[in-house]
Amino acid sequence: MNDTLRSIPRPLVKTNQTVIVISVLLTWATGQAWILLIPFIAGLLGLFFGYNPIMEIAKHFLRKELKSYIPEDWEQQQFNQKIAVTCLGIGYVSFLMNWTVIGYVFTGMVAIAAFIAILGFCIGCFILFQWKQYKYRRTA
């Protein structure tokens, strides 16, 4: 994905969210923190280079043309991805340093947010909307 596209097809976003949830659950089940690096690195690549390998792989499994899917706003997805990458990074480092409570808290937050987003409510979008409303009210 690149910034000029300005939207991301919903199935690709859901795939990315699903990978986050599965990675967190696998990390918890196995105790292998490196599993968090899969969505973490994919998220970093998406943020810095506009290329998320998880979404790129998922494109090959779409049944319809990309433009026929409901689009997700690029700005909102970048905001959400920043939150996810931050939580995954803090969780990963916390597990490495044996700060397991912090690791569970941060990976739990991102897994819950991703799962809720899969179900249809985007917590990150709500936070971004509230932030924009707050900024607007301050200037008005």
Side-chain angles (χ1 to χ4, degrees):
M1 314 293 344
N2 64 37
D3 197 70
T4 59
L5 184 59
R6 304 307 295 172
S7 67
I8 304 168
R10 182 75 180 130
L12 300 182
V13 174
K14 280 191 169 196
T15 301
N16 191 54
Q17 294 161 340
T18 301
V19 169
I20 290 170
V21 171
I22 291 170
S23 297
V24 169
L25 293 176
L26 283 174
T27 296
W28 290 355
T30 65
Q32 301 295 312
W34 67 266
I35 298 170
L36 296 173
L37 292 176
I38 297 166
F40 177 75
I41 291 170
L44 283 177
L45 290 171
L47 288 173
F48 290 116
F49 302 109
Y51 177 86
N52 183 314
I54 293 167
M55 291 185 190
E56 292 297 321
I57 291 169
K59 278 183 188 178
H60 298 289
F61 297 96
L62 295 177
R63 295 180 185 185
K64 300 184 283 187
E65 186 178 328
L66 276 178
K67 293 179 182 183
S68 66
Y69 291 100
I70 297 171
E72 296 285 328
D73 182 67
W74 176 263
E75 179 188 4
Q76 286 181 345
Q77 291 311 312
Q78 290 296 94
F79 179 78
N80 294 338
Q81 195 65 23
K82 288 174 188 173
I83 294 171
V85 164
T86 300
C87 289
L88 289 167
I90 291 170
Y92 175 71
V93 170
S94 297
F95 284 130
L96 288 182
M97 299 182 77
N98 289 320
W99 298 345
T100 54
V101 172
I102 296 171
Y104 281 113
V105 168
F106 278 91
T107 57
M109 285 191 308
V110 74
I112 290 168
F115 183 72
I116 291 171
I118 291 167
L119 296 177
F121 180 76
C122 177
I123 294 170
C125 300
F126 179 76
I127 292 169
L128 182 60
F129 174 76
Q130 293 301 321
W131 175 249
K132 286 182 175 186
Q133 288 293 307
Y134 169 76
K135 285 176 34 180
Y136 173 77
R137 278 185 242 122
R138 276 190 42 210
T139 60

